[in-house]
């Protein structure tokens, strides 16, 4: 355990070479990125971590937004002398990666099922939010919010509200590093149209779509994902 930005962090380092930082999604931990870690360690110095509030890492003392998470990752990069790390991120982790790359030097970035674009509210969602607000005013009890929200601790509930309400669309055009987007065609958490928008807005971005895969395409198709990542990074990769 090490401390960065005042938060105890559980992380692992493997390998030598250019720095790679792995960023998992909401409600996950470093185990979801372990295949990537193990497959890249022969070519890179890989940092795999539990983000603050997840796994064995501590929670922030105040509700962080994306800016604070990006600053946290930058402190790790500076500590490990990574002047321009490679970022490989999924979902919530991709929010952090996008903000990081818009603020700090970044060599390359791979984003899978990237969150960060706010979807327009459907009439069903607006009606549901109105009903929950009405119940709260009437003193009625009942569960509200997504499963992620319901399972979160009090501080992480506030973190979730902050991060999902921040639209990172303005950050996309500011990205100057090469970006590879990998998406599942049947992703319901971050639908394919979000990936297409990122592909359009990020200068020079390239996109690969895994047909019939969902939000966890990178995990379900781990070895295919690694072939695509290594082709993008320019490292050799042998399935054997």
């Amino acid at each position: 355990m090490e401390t960065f930005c005042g938060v105890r962090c559980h992380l692992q380092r493997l390998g030598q070479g250019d720095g790679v930082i792995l960023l998992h999604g909401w409600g996950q931990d470093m185990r979801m990125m372990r295949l990537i870690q193990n497959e890249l360690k022969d070519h890179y110095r890989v940092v795999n971590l539990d983000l603050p509030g997840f796994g064995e890492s501590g929670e922030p003392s105040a509700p962080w937004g994306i800016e604070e998470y990006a600053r946290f990752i930058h402190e790790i990069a500076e500590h490990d002398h990574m002047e321009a790390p490679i970022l490989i991120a999924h979902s919530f982790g991709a929010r952090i990666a996008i903000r990081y790359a818009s603020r700090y030097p970044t060599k390359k970035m791979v984003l899978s099922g990237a969150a960060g674009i706010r979807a327009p509210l459907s009439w069903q969602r607006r009606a549901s939010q109105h009903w929950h607000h009405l119940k709260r005013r009437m003193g009625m009890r009942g569960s509200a919010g997504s499963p992620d929200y319901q399972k979160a601790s009090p501080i992480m509930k506030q973190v979730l509200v902050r991060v999902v309400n921040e639209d990172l669309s303005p950050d996309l055009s500011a990205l100057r590093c090469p970006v590879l987007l990998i998406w599942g065609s049947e992703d319901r958490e971050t639908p394919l149209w979000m990936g297409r928008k990122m592909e359009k807005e990020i200068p020079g971005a390239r996109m690969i779509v895994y047909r019939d895969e969902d939000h966890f395409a990178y995990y379900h198709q781990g070895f295919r994902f690694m072939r695509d990542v290594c082709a993008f990074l320019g490292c050799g990769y042998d399935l054997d």
Side-chain angles (χ1 to χ4, degrees):
M1 298 286 279
E2 301 176 40
T3 300
F4 302 98
C5 294
V7 177
R8 295 283 287 169
C9 178
H10 176 227
L11 77 168
Q12 297 176 347
R13 299 178 179 88
L14 289 176
Q16 298 293 326
D18 289 344
V20 175
I21 301 177
L22 308 180
L23 304 173
H24 62 76
W26 186 274
Q28 311 296 320
D29 57 41
M30 66 164 60
R31 291 174 296 179
M32 293 295 287
M33 314 299 279
R34 193 152 285 157
L35 173 66
I36 306 171
Q37 168 188 319
N38 290 335
E39 296 298 323
L40 290 181
K41 64 181 173 59
D42 292 335
H43 302 277
Y44 299 96
R45 181 159 45 104
V46 184
V47 174
N48 191 12
L49 69 145
D50 291 336
L51 289 166
F54 304 98
E56 297 181 34
S57 290
E59 295 183 351
S61 58
W64 281 8
I66 296 302
E67 192 72 31
E68 290 82 1
Y69 274 99
R71 194 175 303 128
F72 176 86
I73 298 303
H74 183 58
E75 191 163 307
I76 293 175
E78 284 195 318
H79 177 272
D80 282 37
H81 306 290
M82 297 181 181
E83 294 183 3
I86 296 166
L87 304 179
I88 302 178
H90 173 244
S91 195
F92 167 66
R95 290 182 186 268
I96 302 168
I98 290 168
R99 176 54 55 83
Y100 183 101
S102 73
R103 296 284 193 271
Y104 308 108
T106 305
K107 186 172 183 179
K108 290 186 177 183
M109 190 159 57
V110 180
L111 307 177
S112 182
I117 296 176
R118 288 191 64 183
L121 285 178
S122 65
W123 69 265
Q124 296 99 328
R125 182 62 178 162
R126 287 196 298 270
S128 175
Q129 288 185 351
H130 177 74
W131 172 237
H132 288 309
H133 291 322
L134 181 62
K135 287 199 298 183
R136 191 177 300 116
R137 288 198 299 268
M138 295 172 64
M140 298 171 62
R141 295 180 177 272
S143 61
S146 67
D148 282 337
Y149 182 85
Q150 293 177 31
K151 289 186 288 187
S153 69
I155 193 72
M156 294 307 291
K157 280 183 168 69
Q158 296 177 68
V159 170
L160 182 58
V161 169
R162 283 195 66 183
V163 300
V164 301
N165 283 299
E166 185 169 2
D167 188 355
L168 300 182
S169 296
D171 292 56
L172 301 179
S173 62
L175 301 180
R176 293 294 178 264
C177 64
V179 176
L180 175 64
L181 303 166
I182 296 181
W183 233 270
S185 65
E186 306 307 311
D187 192 333
R188 295 292 179 261
E189 301 300 318
T190 53
L192 185 57
W193 70 261
M194 293 184 177
R196 292 300 186 193
K197 180 175 180 180
M198 290 188 180
E199 181 185 26
K200 179 180 178 182
E201 297 294 331
I202 299 172
R206 178 191 170 205
M207 186 175 200
I208 300 174
V209 178
Y210 290 3
R211 191 175 300 277
D212 299 323
E213 276 295 346
D214 61 13
H215 189 53
F216 293 91
Y218 85 98
Y219 187 77
H220 297 152
Q221 299 285 338
F223 291 111
R224 178 185 177 186
F225 179 80
M226 289 311 307
R227 280 195 298 267
D228 291 332
V229 167
C230 284
F232 174 68
L233 297 182
C235 65
Y237 186 64
D238 186 352
L239 282 175
D240 298 324

